[in-house]
């Protein structure tokens, strides 16, 4: 235990007003300063209160007391916030996945927009010329990808738990439904418990990955072909017996799912039963169909992904004479739609497996002549690297949480050289507002760009995840 860390259970009956909310959806309140703090001009101790919202008057129970702050949980809400919502999920408060269900969805969006603007202002010291209108979509049943943990131990003897982890815990939440998964997948949670309990390797099946694709033939009269394709990847650490295999086949037939197995590393993921199938998502605006495998990285929210791709390409203002770079391209989510609008697109990705999948998707959509792909480590980029990519007036970047710092540093070096290789416009899609702000600092203060616009995309409702988009133009 660290010095000053004192786990406690102290009920505080004196009401306190909650001032703000952090990204863990904890209410932030502040005690009145004591005499010593007041004499030094300091404010009072901060209290993080789980379950409390801004403007609310609450009493609370302190659960952890540190030198500079305390952590607590709500004891009683004396004056609820007007934007308090009734959580829809029975596992809310236990499952660590959706910590903001008690906050109205409009307030969630406003909070995430404020986080983005604050990070840009405080970290990058820039303000967008335009605040892009927040993008939102379905608040429930939106998650088409998920990784569930399976554990054969619980308070309830003989019960296998299958679900997400509890908040900041290694324990798996006891959940029989999940409101952000598609309804037919949520209904499978208790059925998967029974399945895993019946396997001989019940203790060696720690994970089930879910990937939901669009119907094989959306307009088919055949009900099976018009339903979403659902793939389940079972992580089997030991070989299956013949009886195990039959249980999996029976489960697949009964629930119309496609079962895959993963005996070792990610490269061993392979279909088990049925042996063949079709997993894909579509971008109708661009007449794109994207086949993918359950282990491929794809956006979890199909509807919001359609809106995101459409908005990003509109913001990029691609002309049919342009050559475009798509950095961190994955399986071609932006590359192929861009190829419908531009003269040529080069997609660059760090993982060889994704580059291979992107090339196959280009061929699948008859775009191999306009969309090309290469593998390159985008976390090790110099001016020479950018020169090897060739001139492109427009760039799209969609980096992981780490951001694109080395690319932005190289652009800053090119700016000093007054290089013609600098793109005129960059659209930066981000899943971490802090690394976006850090990179915006480089682009705006060292690489000669101005921040034309920025806004959030509510890709993950009820969670603290902030997806955003920013547009940079050469000054």
């Amino acid at each position: 235990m660290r010095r000053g860390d004192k786990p406690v259970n102290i009920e505080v009956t004196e009401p306190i007003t909650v001032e703000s909310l952090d990204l863990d959806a904890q209410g932030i309140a502040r005690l009145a300063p004591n005499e010593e703090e007041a004499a030094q001009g300091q404010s009072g101790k901060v209290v993080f209160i789980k379950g409390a919202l801004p403007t609310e008057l609450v009493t609370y129970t302190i659960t952890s007391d540190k030198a500079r702050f305390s952590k607590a949980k709500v004891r009683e809400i004396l004056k609820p916030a007007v934007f308090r919502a009734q959580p829809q999920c029975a596992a809310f408060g236990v499952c660590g996945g959706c910590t903001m269900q008690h906050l109205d969805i409009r307030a969630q969006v406003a909070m995430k927009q404020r986080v983005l603007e604050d990070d840009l202002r405080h970290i990058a010291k820039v303000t967008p010329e335009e605040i892009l209108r927040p993008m939102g979509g379905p608040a429930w049943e939106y998650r088409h990808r998920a990784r569930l943990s399976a554990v054969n131990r619980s308070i309830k003897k003989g019960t296998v738990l299958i679900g997400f982890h509890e908040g900041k815990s290694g324990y798996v939440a006891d959940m029989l439904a999940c409101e952000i998964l598609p309804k037919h997948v949520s209904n499978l949670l208790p059925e998967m418990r029974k399945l895993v309990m019946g396997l001989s390797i019940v203790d060696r099946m720690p994970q089930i990955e879910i990937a939901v694709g669009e119907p094989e033939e959306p307009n088919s009269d055949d009900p099976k072909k018009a339903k979403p394709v659902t793939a389940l990847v079972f992580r089997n650490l030991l070989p299956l017996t013949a009886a195990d295999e039959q249980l999996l086949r029976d489960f697949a037939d009964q629930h119309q799912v496609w079962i895959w197995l993963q005996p070792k590393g990610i490269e061993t993921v392979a279909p088990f039963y049925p042996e063949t199938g079709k997993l894909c998502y579509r971008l109708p605006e661009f007449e794109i169909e994207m086949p993918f495998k359950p282990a491929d990285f794809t956006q979890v929210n199909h509807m919001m992904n359609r809106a995101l791709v459409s908005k990003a390409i509109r913001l990029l203002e691609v002309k049919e004479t342009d050559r475009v770079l798509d950095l961190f391209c994955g399986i071609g989510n932006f590359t192929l739609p861009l190829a419908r609008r531009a003269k040529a697109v080069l997609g660059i990705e760090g993982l060889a497996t994704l580059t291979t999948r992107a090339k196959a998707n280009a061929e699948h959509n008859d775009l191999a002549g306009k969309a090309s792909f290469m593998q390159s480590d985008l976390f090790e980029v110099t001016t020479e690297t950018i020169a090897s990519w060739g001139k492109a007036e427009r760039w799209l970047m969609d980096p992981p949480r780490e951001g694109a710092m080395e690319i932005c540093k190289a652009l800053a070096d090119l700016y000093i050289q007054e290089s013609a290789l600098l793109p005129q416009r960059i659209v930066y899609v981000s899943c971490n507002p802090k690394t976006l702000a850090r990179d915006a600092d480089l682009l705006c203060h060292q690489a000669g760009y101005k921040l034309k616009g920025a806004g959030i995309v509510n890709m993950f409702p009820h969670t603290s995840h902030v997806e955003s988009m920013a547009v940079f133009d050469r000054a």
Side-chain angles (χ1 to χ4, degrees):
M1 186 181 297
R2 291 178 297 179
R3 186 177 180 181
D5 192 356
K6 304 173 184 177
V8 292
N9 189 39
I10 303 173
E11 291 189 355
V12 179
T13 57
E14 183 177 350
I16 194 169
T17 299
V18 182
E19 299 174 2
S20 59
L21 197 70
D22 70 4
L23 274 178
D24 289 325
Q26 298 178 114
I28 303 174
R30 190 178 292 275
L31 300 174
N34 57 34
E35 291 183 5
E36 182 180 347
E37 290 168 336
Q40 297 176 359
Q42 297 177 352
S43 51
K45 190 174 185 178
V46 171
V47 184
F48 295 94
I49 308 174
K50 183 178 179 181
L53 294 174
T55 73
E56 291 187 332
L57 186 67
V58 303
T59 60
Y60 56 97
T61 301
I62 297 175
T63 56
S64 177
D65 194 25
K66 299 177 184 285
R68 297 185 177 180
F69 63 90
S70 297
K71 290 192 174 183
K73 60 184 179 183
V74 165
R75 182 172 175 268
E76 185 180 2
I77 301 172
L78 304 175
K79 177 187 174 185
V82 294
F83 40 79
R84 174 170 284 276
Q86 179 63 37
Q88 187 164 319
C89 184
F92 176 75
V94 178
C95 174
C98 297
T99 57
M100 294 188 181
Q101 284 193 35
H102 60 313
L103 182 61
D104 181 84
I105 192 71
R106 292 164 294 184
Q108 292 180 32
V109 170
M111 174 188 172
K112 293 178 182 183
Q113 182 73 39
R114 187 172 65 251
V115 167
L116 173 63
E117 293 177 33
D118 286 349
D119 284 343
L120 288 171
R121 183 169 62 253
H122 295 142
I123 299 173
K125 304 294 191 295
V126 295
T127 301
E129 292 183 9
E130 177 188 359
I131 300 298
L132 304 177
R133 184 177 180 180
M135 297 172 60
W140 307 102
E141 297 186 38
Y142 66 82
R143 192 176 184 99
H144 290 78
R145 293 187 61 86
R147 179 173 295 167
L148 304 177
S149 294
V151 60
N152 185 31
R153 59 180 184 272
S154 79
I155 298 172
K156 300 175 182 177
K157 186 177 179 181
T159 299
V160 170
L161 297 181
I162 293 178
F164 298 110
H165 282 93
E166 296 180 359
K168 296 185 178 180
S169 167
Y171 293 104
V172 176
D174 187 357
M175 52 193 294
L176 293 174
C178 176
E179 301 296 335
I180 62 170
L181 292 176
K183 182 65 174 175
H184 74 281
V185 177
S186 176
N187 290 342
L188 285 178
L189 292 180
E191 301 303 318
M192 285 191 281
R193 282 191 181 191
K194 298 175 188 176
L195 171 64
V196 175
M197 285 184 67
L199 298 175
S200 67
I201 59 169
V202 60
D203 289 315
R204 306 296 287 167
M205 184 75 81
Q207 176 182 299
I208 304 171
E209 191 145 357
I210 297 167
V212 180
E214 297 189 32
E216 291 187 42
E217 299 176 21
N219 302 317
S220 173
D221 293 330
D222 185 343
K224 289 185 178 180
K225 291 184 178 180
K227 288 183 177 180
V229 177
T230 303
L232 304 178
V233 183
F234 288 84
R235 179 78 168 92
N236 57 309
L237 300 181
L238 290 176
L240 300 171
T241 66
D244 292 337
E245 292 182 349
Q246 190 57 49
L247 282 173
L248 290 174
R249 291 190 190 96
D250 292 343
F251 185 88
D253 287 336
Q254 180 182 354
H255 299 289
Q256 298 181 16
V257 296
W258 190 11
I259 290 181
W260 293 53
L261 297 177
Q262 183 188 345
K264 294 182 180 178
I266 195 71
E267 71 282 354
T268 65
V269 173
F272 168 70
Y273 180 83
E275 293 184 1
T276 59
K278 180 181 179 181
L279 198 61
C280 74
Y281 66 90
R282 299 181 178 91
L283 301 170
E285 180 182 347
F286 302 95
E287 298 180 346
I288 297 291
E289 181 179 87
M290 299 286 285
F292 67 95
K293 295 181 180 179
D296 290 343
F297 173 79
T298 58
Q299 290 285 8
V300 306
N301 190 329
H302 288 176
M303 186 172 293
M304 284 307 302
N305 183 57
R306 289 182 179 182
L308 175 66
V309 170
S310 179
K311 181 74 170 180
I313 292 178
R314 287 201 306 274
L315 289 173
L316 206 54
E317 296 183 354
V318 177
K319 298 185 287 291
E320 51 185 35
T321 55
D322 285 335
R323 179 176 183 265
V324 183
L325 291 187
D326 178 15
L327 308 181
F328 306 93
C329 70
I331 64 172
N333 186 52
F334 290 100
T335 324
L336 301 188
L338 281 167
R340 294 285 194 214
R341 300 285 188 264
K343 180 180 180 181
V345 186
L346 172 61
I348 305 175
E349 171 57 49
L351 296 176
T353 52
L354 294 183
T355 307
T356 300
R357 299 286 298 127
K359 291 177 180 178
N361 286 343
E363 293 175 0
H364 180 78
N365 289 279
D366 296 323
L367 285 169
K370 296 180 69 177
S372 57
F373 298 90
M374 67 178 289
Q375 181 189 358
S376 181
D377 185 354
L378 294 174
F379 297 103
E380 295 289 339
V381 173
T382 65
T383 55
E384 290 75 17
T385 309
I386 294 178
S388 72
W389 299 340
K391 172 68 174 177
E393 284 295 324
R394 276 143 175 61
W395 286 16
L396 191 143
M397 297 198 295
D398 183 15
R401 292 189 62 81
E402 295 84 351
M405 183 168 67
E406 295 306 316
I407 294 173
C408 295
K409 284 182 177 179
L411 289 172
D413 291 339
L414 283 174
Y415 179 66
I416 295 173
Q417 302 168 17
E418 297 184 358
S419 173
L421 290 171
L422 288 166
Q424 183 63 36
R425 171 164 286 198
I426 299 171
V427 170
Y428 188 131
V429 178
S430 168
C431 57
N432 184 342
K434 285 184 168 42
T435 53
L436 168 62
R438 178 204 64 199
D439 293 345
D441 183 15
L442 289 166
L443 291 173
C444 294
H445 300 306
Q446 297 184 42
Y449 286 86
K450 56 185 176 181
L451 182 57
K452 293 290 291 182
I456 68 114
V457 182
N458 199 22
M459 186 72 74
F460 301 88
H462 314 300
T463 76
S464 60
H465 185 105
V466 181
E467 191 93 1
S468 60
M469 193 159 24
V471 183
F472 298 90
D473 275 351
R474 288 191 68 178

